[in-house]
């Protein structure tokens, strides 16, 4: 397996963990919404709507994106050859 595939699998797993924490952890969602882009979304949408969007939109998108990265790199051809 090429080093590019291993890196993509690691990044995919990281995205899946991020998505899971966004979906399942109230403290993690509160932390992400208080800094940087999360604070922008909180100001734009309000606290409740930003929490809902983080849990039900951004979390599952990260989970799906991470799973696709893992599957494509694990079962696809070598990356970077």
């Amino acid at each position: 397996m090429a080093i590019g595939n291993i890196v993509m699998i690691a990044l995919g797993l990281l995205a899946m963990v991020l998505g899971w924490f966004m979906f399942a952890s109230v403290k993690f969602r509160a932390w992400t919404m208080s800094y940087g882009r999360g604070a922008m979304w909180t100001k734009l949408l309000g606290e409740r709507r930003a929490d809902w969007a983080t849990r039900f939109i951004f979390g599952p998108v990260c989970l799906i994106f991470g799973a696709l990265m893992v599957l494509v790199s694990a079962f696809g051809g070598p990356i970077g050859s």
Side-chain angles (χ1 to χ4, degrees):
M1 186 178 290
I3 191 75
N5 290 63
I6 295 169
V7 170
M8 289 301 288
I9 288 172
L11 289 175
L13 291 173
L14 186 66
M16 288 173 63
V17 167
L18 177 70
W20 177 254
F21 277 128
M22 281 183 173
F23 182 75
S25 175
V26 175
K27 289 183 180 180
F28 187 79
R29 281 195 310 271
W31 176 72
T32 58
M33 291 190 308
S34 61
Y35 300 105
R37 297 259 186 218
M40 179 194 71
W41 281 107
T42 303
K43 287 179 184 175
L44 184 68
L45 297 174
E47 183 84 27
R48 199 174 117 227
R49 288 183 181 152
D51 184 55
W52 187 90
T54 302
R55 183 171 187 189
F56 294 112
I57 296 174
F58 300 130
V61 166
C62 281
L63 279 169
I64 292 168
F65 184 66
L68 285 175
M69 284 173 61
V70 169
L71 289 174
V72 168
S73 2
F75 299 115
I79 297 173
S81 60

